[in-house]
Amino acid sequence: MIKLKIKSGDTVKVIAGDHKGSEGKVLRVDREKNKAIVEGVNMVSKHTKPSAKSPQGGIVKKEAPIHISNIALIDPKSKKATRVGMKVEGDKKVRFSKKSNQVL
């Protein structure tokens, strides 16, 4: 497993693929598959059987994972997509925006 520069809770923008240009918050990151689930992006229709949780069953819309290489972090200062760098401040390793050089 490699260290990813995107964490859950980050606001990201899709930079490639069918949903290019859409933005959302990262809900979950799968480090083994290098994928992330972004809120409101890559929605798929899932057919569900009736169960105790959903007695009606039917078709449910939910987010599908999107590859990490297709999303970029949004810089909080300029509100645009940015690359992420790592640096050591004191005894802590922190992420910073390559666009504004601001610690994330």
Side-chain angles (χ1 to χ4, degrees):
M1 277 190 298
I2 58 166
K3 179 96 168 105
L4 301 176
K5 295 178 178 176
I6 291 176
K7 297 179 179 179
S8 56
D10 287 344
T11 307
V12 294
K13 182 175 189 172
V14 180
I15 55 172
D18 293 340
H19 304 278
K20 182 176 179 176
S22 53
E23 298 178 7
K25 198 170 93 174
V26 176
L27 301 175
R28 200 166 66 233
V29 175
D30 186 356
R31 286 177 50 198
E32 287 167 6
K33 294 181 182 170
N34 284 345
K35 293 187 179 234
I37 294 177
V38 183
E39 192 175 37
V41 176
N42 200 17
M43 299 296 280
V44 292
S45 299
K46 185 163 171 57
H47 295 72
T48 56
K49 273 175 91 172
S51 65
K53 192 175 180 183
S54 61
Q56 185 64 39
I59 299 169
V60 176
K61 289 271 195 189
K62 74 182 260 187
E63 291 98 350
I66 187 168
H67 200 270
I68 290 286
S69 65
N70 295 338
I71 57 179
L73 198 72
I74 292 180
D75 184 28
K77 198 173 185 181
S78 67
K79 304 286 187 232
K80 292 184 180 175
T82 180
R83 290 176 296 144
V84 180
M86 304 292 260
K87 64 182 174 183
V88 178
E89 280 190 356
D91 58 342
K92 284 199 172 184
K93 192 175 180 183
V94 293
R95 299 181 304 162
F96 72 96
S97 165
K98 294 268 187 140
K99 199 163 259 187
S100 66
N101 213 18
Q102 184 180 5
V103 174
L104 302 169

